[in-house]
């Protein structure tokens, strides 16, 4: 049984890496797909908004189902949909087909996460749970960071249509999920059902939870704005697809390092100080980027990577605090903090794209990076984190 559990956990690690790598395909090559199809920046960001809604905003629903229905169904079809449809964006012949492929692939990504997280809990011993969960989350981050490298490589050296070749890896991983992750026995299934509407009402009536969800939305807004809008800026400056992919890769890897450094900095500075530092650092760094990207591009790349570190620095603290505030709804809370918040930002990205098209990308980035600093004052209203 122990060997079976280890095999299941390793397969879930691989599944998370794979499903998030396909999600990482989109941002660096979107400007090139948009140029081929004659799509404006505003329309491009609107399509990306729809995909974020399907992948992120529905995750509380998937989390609710995860709490009440333990099945491998979501992970298998989540991998299948993501690996087949997200690479097919390269063959889309018009804006409607492009949107359809993005939406279906994004739904697959949303399917996988709550159920995958739940199964890591089930198949891990209490001694190994923290380690296994950390690796599971890290694999997703590294997959999402590698995705831009893969997609930009295919666009740069071949053509967008060849991206569909990569589907084979996700399909094989989906098959491994069925082969290596056992069915859940009845002893693991919930005897008490969670009522979705009453749980959501309770979550949104809690002041601390509202603050934590707001923080998650603001940090997601800064992160997504950087990773979606800057590729359009760099393309206008005649940067290659592979260069843009490498920059996004470095940005995301720095974000992963920020999540790892979070707990160590928290021990030194304290929970609330780390949160305030993370919120307030983004604006001056974005201002430095704005002043340097034309005349000192290499320096601006370094600043961009450092922004990634601070943008993700408080994310684990935010999640742990949310779980401690309302421990009985962990899957739902994860769906709101890790999914719903990104979906809300996804909806706003069409507005950001419109504003960027009319007032400039840099001006929009300065605005969205200033907001976390303003709202960091609400940190003082949060409870102290438990040891």
């Amino acid at each position: 049984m122990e060997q079976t559990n280890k095999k299941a956990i390793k397969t879930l690690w691989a599944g998370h890496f794979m499903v998030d790598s396909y999600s990482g395909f989109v941002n660096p090559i979107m400007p090139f797909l948009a140029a081929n199809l004659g799509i404006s920046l505003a329309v491009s960001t609107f399509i990306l908004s729809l995909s974020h809604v399907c992948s992120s905003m529905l995750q509380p629903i998937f989390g609710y189902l995860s709490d009440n229905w333990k099945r491998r169904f979501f992970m298998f079809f989540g991998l299948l949909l993501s690996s087949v449809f997200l690479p097919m964006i390269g063959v889309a012949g018009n804006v409607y087909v492009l949107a359809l492929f993005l939406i279906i692939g994004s739904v697959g990504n949303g399917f996988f996460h709550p159920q995958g997280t739940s199964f890591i809990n089930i198949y891990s011993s209490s001694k190994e749970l923290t380690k296994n969960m950390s690796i599971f989350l890290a694999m997703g981050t590294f997959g999402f960071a590698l995705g831009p490298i893969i997609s930009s490589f295919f666009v740069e050296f071949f053509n967008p249509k060849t991206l569909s070749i990569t589907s084979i890896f996700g399909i094989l991983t989906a098959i491994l999920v069925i082969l290596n992750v056992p069915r859940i026995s009845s002893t693991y299934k919930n005897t008490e059902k969670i009522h979705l509407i009453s749980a959501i009402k309770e979550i949104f009536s809690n002041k601390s939870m509202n603050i934590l969800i707001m923080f998650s939305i603001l940090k997601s807004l800064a992160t997504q704005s950087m990773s979606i809008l800057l590729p359009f800026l760099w393309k206008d400056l005649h940067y290659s697809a592979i260069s843009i992919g490498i920059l996004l890769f470095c940005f995301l890897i720095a974000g992963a390092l920020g999540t790892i450094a979070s707990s160590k900095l928290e021990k030194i500075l304290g929970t609330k100080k780390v949160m305030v530092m993370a919120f307030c650092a983004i604006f001056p760094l974005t201002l430095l980027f704005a002043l340097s990207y034309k005349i000192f591009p290499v320096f601006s790349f370094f600043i961009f990577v450092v922004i990634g570190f601070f943008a993700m620095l408080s994310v684990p603290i935010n999640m742990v605090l949310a779980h401690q505030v309302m421990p009985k709804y962990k899957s739902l809370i994860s769906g709101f903090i890790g999914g719903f918040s990104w979906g809300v930002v996804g909806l706003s990205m069409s507005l950001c794209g419109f504003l960027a098209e009319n007032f400039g990308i840099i001006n929009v980035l300065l605005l969205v990076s200033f907001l976390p600093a303003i709202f960091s004052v609400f940190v003082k209203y949060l409870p102290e984190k438990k040891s």
Side-chain angles (χ1 to χ4, degrees), residues 279-295:
F279 295 151
C280 293
I282 299 175
F283 176 70
L285 288 169
T286 305
L287 185 60
L288 269 178
F289 177 88
L291 295 172
S292 62
Y293 78 96
K294 286 184 178 178
I295 53 176

Side-chain angles (χ1 to χ4, degrees), residues 251-269:
F251 178 80
L252 293 167
I253 289 296
L257 294 176
T259 62
I260 294 170
S262 177
S263 60
K264 294 182 179 179
L265 285 173
E266 187 182 18
K267 289 177 183 177
I268 299 170
L269 301 175

Side-chain angles (χ1 to χ4, degrees), residues 139-347:
M139 291 296 282
T141 302
F142 286 120
F144 192 66
L146 186 62
I149 297 288
I150 297 171
S151 62
S152 58
F153 175 84
F154 274 85
V155 170
E156 180 77 16
F157 297 106
F158 300 100
N159 67 69
K161 294 180 180 180
T162 59
L163 201 57
S164 297
I165 296 170
T166 62
S167 294
I168 186 64
F169 300 105
I171 294 169
L172 290 174
T173 307
I175 294 170
L176 284 177
V177 166
I178 295 299
L179 294 176
N180 293 342
V181 180
R183 295 177 185 274
I184 297 298
S185 67
S186 59
T187 55
Y188 289 113
K189 296 179 182 178
N190 294 343
T191 55
E192 183 181 348
K193 297 294 182 182
I194 292 174
H195 297 284
L196 180 62
I197 302 302
S198 60
I200 291 174
K201 286 181 179 178
E202 189 175 344
I203 288 169
F204 280 102
S205 64
N206 186 292
K207 182 178 76 173
S208 295
M209 276 304 308
N210 285 328
I211 293 172
L212 291 167
I213 291 172
M214 177 188 69
F215 284 164
S216 182
I217 290 172
L218 290 172
K219 294 304 288 289
S220 299
L221 178 61
T223 305
Q224 289 194 52
S225 297
M226 294 282 176
S227 58
I228 289 175
L229 296 178
L230 279 178
F232 285 89
L233 177 73
W234 287 323
K235 182 181 180 298
D236 289 341
L237 294 172
H238 307 294
Y239 287 73
S240 66
I242 192 67
S243 298
I244 295 172
I246 291 171
L247 287 170
L248 289 180
F249 171 80
C250 294
F251 178 80
L252 293 167
I253 289 296
L257 294 176
T259 62
I260 294 170
S262 177
S263 60
K264 294 182 179 179
L265 285 173
E266 187 182 18
K267 289 177 183 177
I268 299 170
L269 301 175
T271 300
K272 294 186 178 181
K273 286 183 180 178
V274 172
M275 294 181 79
V276 171
M277 179 177 68
F279 295 151
C280 293
I282 299 175
F283 176 70
L285 288 169
T286 305
L287 185 60
L288 269 178
F289 177 88
L291 295 172
S292 62
Y293 78 96
K294 286 184 178 178
I295 53 176
F296 301 113
V298 176
F299 177 71
S300 74
F301 300 154
F302 171 75
I303 294 299
F304 174 64
V305 172
V306 176
I307 291 171
F309 177 88
F310 282 101
M312 299 293 287
L313 181 62
S314 67
V315 170
I317 296 173
N318 214 58
M319 182 67 81
V320 172
L321 269 176
H323 283 169
Q324 290 184 351
V325 168
M326 304 191 79
K328 63 180 178 178
Y329 298 131
K330 284 188 177 180
S331 292
L332 263 177
I333 294 298
S334 298
F336 276 107
I337 297 293
F340 175 80
S341 299
W342 282 79
V344 170
V345 173
L347 279 174

